[in-house]
Amino acid sequence: GAVVSQHPSRVICKSGTSVKIECRSLDFQATTMFWYRQFPKQSLMLMATSNEGSKATYEQGVEKDKFLINHASLTLSTLTVTSAHPEDSSFYICSAKGQEIESPLHFGNGTRLTVT
Amino acid sequence: GENVEQHPSTLSVQEGDSAVIKCTYSDSASNYFPWYKQELGKRPQLIIDIRSNVGEKKDQRIAVTLNKTAKHFSLHITETQPEDSAVYFCAARLKAAGNKLTFGGGTRVLVKP
C-alpha cells in the first residue's frame, strides 16, 4: 500500500529555535499534502493544506509565518516551526493524497515535538 | 465548512461483544467518509471507508453504514478482540472544500478480555 514517511519521529528543541519536519510519499505522487496537529487525547486538527508548486492554504487561527510549509515536489512537503515555544509542543502528523480524485489519505508516523 | 460530531467519546466492551460508534456531519455535500484507527503514539490507519453513493460496506468484522438523509454514519465492530482497543476517528470529506478531511473528536475503545 501507499507509504508516507515522516521525519524526525521525535525532536526536542530549545525555545526560540526552529524545527523542520519532512513528509515524503514513498511510492506515489502526492499533489496535496495536509499537516495536522494533535494534542494528547484529542482529535486531529488540520493546520494547512499544501499543494505542490503553490502556496499553502492555512486554516483559521494558524499563523503562516510561524508554521512555514513548503511543497517543492510531488513527493516532499516540509513544515518548519519557527521560533518555537513550549506551547508549540505537540504531535504533528502529515498526510498525503494521491493524484486520483478518489484516492484515500495516508498518514505519516507523526513527529512528537517537545520545546523546552 | 464541515463539522463532524462523534459519539461516544469512550466505549468499553467485553471481548466478543460488538462496538458501535456514531458520527454526524453537517454538510450534505460531503461525499466520502473514512474511519481511522489510531494506537497510542502511532499514525492513524485507514480501516474502512464509504462513499456517498453506497449505504453499507463490510470488511470482515468491520462494517460502516451511511444514512445520507439523516447525515450520519456508523462504524460497527463485531466479535471484538483486545487488539481492537484503540482510538477511532471518523471523518468526512467535502469535495468543495479542497478535499479536506474534517475529523470527529475520536472514540477511545477498550476491549476487556
Side-chain angles (χ1 to χ4, degrees):
Chain A
V3 177
V4 176
S5 173
Q6 187 173 341
H7 180 79
S9 57
R10 290 178 180 272
V11 58
I12 301 173
C13 70
K14 292 186 176 179
S15 190
T17 61
S18 295
V19 173
K20 180 184 281 189
I21 303 169
E22 292 188 349
C23 181
R24 294 179 185 273
S25 55
L26 297 186
D27 53 0
F28 67 101
Q29 293 186 326
T31 51
T32 305
M33 290 187 174
F34 302 90
W35 288 95
Y36 292 85
R37 184 173 180 176
Q38 187 176 33
F39 290 106
K41 298 185 179 181
Q42 292 190 23
S43 189
L44 295 99
M45 300 303 297
L46 180 65
M47 299 174 65
T49 302
S50 169
N51 292 298
E52 185 265 337
S54 63
K55 289 184 179 180
T57 303
Y58 290 82
E59 295 299 302
Q60 193 172 10
V62 178
E63 299 176 58
K64 61 180 182 180
D65 294 331
K66 181 167 185 62
F67 298 100
L68 300 178
I69 292 173
N70 183 278
H71 193 154
S73 75
L74 284 172
T75 59
L76 174 64
S77 176
T78 61
L79 167 68
T80 301
V81 183
T82 63
S83 187
H85 292 288
E87 56 265 32
D88 297 325
S89 299
S90 189
F91 193 52
Y92 293 87
I93 311 179
C94 71
S95 65
K97 180 183 175 305
Q99 294 176 304
E100 293 75 25
I101 293 175
E102 299 300 321
S103 58
L105 208 57
H106 300 281
F107 284 87
N109 264 332
T111 297
R112 183 157 303 282
L113 170 64
T114 303
V115 184
T116 61
Chain B
E2 178 64 277
N3 184 46
V4 179
E5 299 284 337
Q6 184 171 346
H7 299 280
S9 57
T10 58
L11 180 60
S12 183
V13 296
Q14 206 66 38
E15 182 178 359
D17 289 349
S18 295
V20 181
I21 304 170
K22 297 181 180 179
C23 287
T24 60
Y25 59 99
S26 60
D27 198 316
S28 57
S30 291
N31 59 1
Y32 174 65
F33 309 91
W35 286 88
Y36 288 87
K37 175 183 179 181
Q38 186 179 30
E39 297 177 5
L40 189 63
K42 296 188 177 181
R43 77 176 88 194
Q45 297 268 20
L46 179 69
I47 56 172
I48 196 167
D49 57 11
I50 192 167
R51 303 188 188 281
S52 57
N53 59 347
V54 176
E56 184 174 357
K57 185 176 178 180
K58 190 174 182 180
D59 182 4
Q60 299 182 345
R61 296 187 296 108
I62 294 173
V64 57
T65 58
L66 171 65
N67 183 325
K68 285 194 298 182
T69 303
K71 291 188 285 187
H72 68 67
F73 55 112
S74 300
L75 177 72
H76 304 253
I77 307 173
T78 58
E79 300 173 32
T80 54
Q81 300 167 4
E83 51 265 38
D84 294 330
S85 297
V87 179
Y88 292 81
F89 293 98
C90 65
R93 185 167 73 193
L94 182 59
K95 193 173 181 180
N99 288 311
K100 293 187 298 186
L101 277 183
T102 300
F103 284 86
T107 298
R108 187 170 299 277
V109 174
L110 175 63
V111 180
K112 294 181 288 186

